[in-house]
Amino acid sequence: MTQSTRPYRSVLYIPGSNARALDKARSLAADAIIFDLEDAVAPDAKDQARATLREELDKGGYGNRAKLVRINGFESRWGNADIQAFRNAEIDGILLPKVNSAYDVETLAEMMSDVAIWAMMETASGVLNAKEIAAHPRLAGIVMGTNDLVKELGARPGPDRAEIMMALQISLIAARADGVPIVDGVYNAFKDDEGLRRECEQGRDLGFDGKTLIHPAQIAIANEVFAPSQADLDLARRQIAAFEEAEAAGQGVAVVDGKIVENLHIVTAKALIAKADAIADLEG
Ligand code: COA
Ligand code: MG
């Protein structure tokens, strides 16, 4: 599956130190996994987590879902050892935390020659430099770190995320400008399904590809919300059929359900169908 068509509806964090969760993840329906060595792992568990994670990844069994390893920053005590340990691992990318500028991406790119690099967008500087970060040739995706962002901004989290809306949108616009996937931040109240659904819908409507998750119980909701619905797909197929008919009659515009359909709508309709196909592929 190519980077651009791969679904990222549900991206589950798993602490590298949690052997039971690492095993459980082999049977979960997340589109992607972030194996975490950074904030989910306590300082005195870092070395053990790194070793356990490398062992579990070598054992495999995670199917064709995307596998990202979130390392500790290279200015930390553990960053270099993390990079050494996952240099030639079977993974789809390294996720670098607290990226402030394209220089951070370049530094990692020079240390690891082949692997795709993902960036956590979670600092004020990172958001201000989102364009150059997304444009780095080795950058393969962006993950919003909304908890760190709230902390850095000195904000107070509200129900509609007004306090980070501009940061979410700047990051999303930067990702789209360079054609890389971007995944929304986590919803902390992992037992609140209704709140999670609302926040997934908000992220989806803003344009995000999916949501990062902290608990397996959150996967089904994210998968549902970020997948094209049957109604969306039906409409897309009707738009394509109507547009083809209009074109055959020498017209550049069709009308479906009282709304005009132009070529740009057909591009969106086809992308939606391709996304549904990619999801079916991954699940099949
Ligand atoms: N990935 C995979 N499996 C997980 C999981 C995760 N993120 N979180 C929990 N599980 C597993 C548990 O191991 C348990 O498995 P079992 O049934 O085989 O025993 C099962 O799901 C049920 O877990 P539960 O008891 O409901 O949760 P918990 O109290 O053990 O853990 C958290 C709750 C929030 C501490 C835990 O989900 C977690 O650590 N999440 C990730 C946090 C993280 O990575 N943060 C960094 C990014 S923000
Ligand atoms: Mg963080």
Side-chain angles (χ1 to χ4, degrees):
M1 205 170 291
T2 66
Q3 189 69 39
S4 61
T5 59
R6 201 189 250 288
Y8 290 100
R9 295 169 300 167
S10 50
V11 180
L12 178 67
Y13 280 101
I14 303 182
S17 51
N18 186 339
R20 198 176 167 92
L22 286 170
D23 188 43
K24 190 173 182 82
R26 294 189 167 94
S27 63
L28 296 173
D31 286 349
I33 299 173
I34 296 172
F35 297 100
D36 192 22
L37 297 172
E38 199 220 13
D39 284 347
V41 178
D44 59 5
K46 296 279 189 195
D47 294 334
Q48 173 259 319
R50 186 187 308 115
T52 305
L53 177 55
R54 178 68 216 228
E55 248 172 61
E56 293 302 314
L57 283 171
D58 287 349
K59 267 191 230 161
Y62 293 102
N64 54 1
R65 52 181 75 83
K67 299 183 286 290
L68 306 176
V69 172
R70 183 164 78 170
I71 59 172
N72 291 282
F74 25 65
E75 73 297 336
S76 77
R77 270 196 289 144
W78 311 284
N80 273 313
D82 292 347
I83 289 169
Q84 298 309 327
F86 293 93
R87 205 175 269 291
N88 46 24
E90 277 280 316
I91 55 174
D92 298 285
I94 291 281
L95 175 58
L96 187 61
K98 302 180 178 72
V99 172
N100 286 314
S101 68
Y103 176 80
D104 291 341
V105 180
E106 179 56 26
T107 304
L108 181 61
E110 282 168 17
M111 294 168 96
M112 297 183 91
S113 54
D114 291 326
V115 74
I117 297 173
W118 282 62
M120 289 297 302
M121 197 57 81
E122 55 186 344
T123 70
S125 297
V127 172
L128 290 173
N129 293 322
K131 174 71 185 97
E132 60 166 57
I133 292 168
H136 191 285
R138 290 277 303 280
L139 205 279
I142 293 175
V143 174
M144 293 307 306
T146 43
N147 282 330
D148 265 305
L149 203 47
V150 164
K151 168 174 158 267
E152 268 232 358
L153 298 181
R156 185 186 291 238
D160 295 324
R161 301 197 289 175
E163 72 288 344
I164 54 164
M165 188 50 63
M166 180 177 262
L168 290 173
Q169 292 195 286
I170 288 174
S171 307
L172 187 119
I173 292 165
R176 293 296 171 238
D178 280 281
V180 295
I182 180 163
V183 184
D184 200 355
V186 299
Y187 186 69
N188 294 332
F190 61 89
K191 291 184 176 155
D192 172 12
D193 287 355
E194 208 176 295
L196 172 66
R197 180 176 293 274
R198 218 178 311 121
E199 204 170 277
C200 284
E201 287 171 351
Q202 183 194 36
R204 174 199 64 195
D205 294 350
L206 286 168
F208 285 96
D209 292 294
K211 196 155 182 69
T212 43
L213 310 174
I214 50 177
H215 193 280
Q218 298 183 311
I219 295 172
I221 290 173
N223 280 350
E224 182 196 327
V225 173
F226 285 96
S229 70
Q230 203 49 56
D232 293 340
L233 290 168
D234 289 345
L235 176 63
R237 293 200 181 93
R238 287 193 294 124
Q239 287 176 325
I240 292 167
F243 193 75
E244 280 171 359
E245 210 172 290
E247 265 190 326
Q251 290 154 2
V253 177
V255 177
V256 172
D257 298 346
K259 292 179 190 145
I260 65 158
V261 175
E262 299 176 69
N263 195 42
L264 68 101
H265 299 110
I266 299 309
V267 172
T268 305
K270 287 183 174 163
L272 201 77
I273 292 170
K275 187 172 181 180
D277 289 346
I279 290 167
D281 250 22
L282 186 72
E283 290 178 342

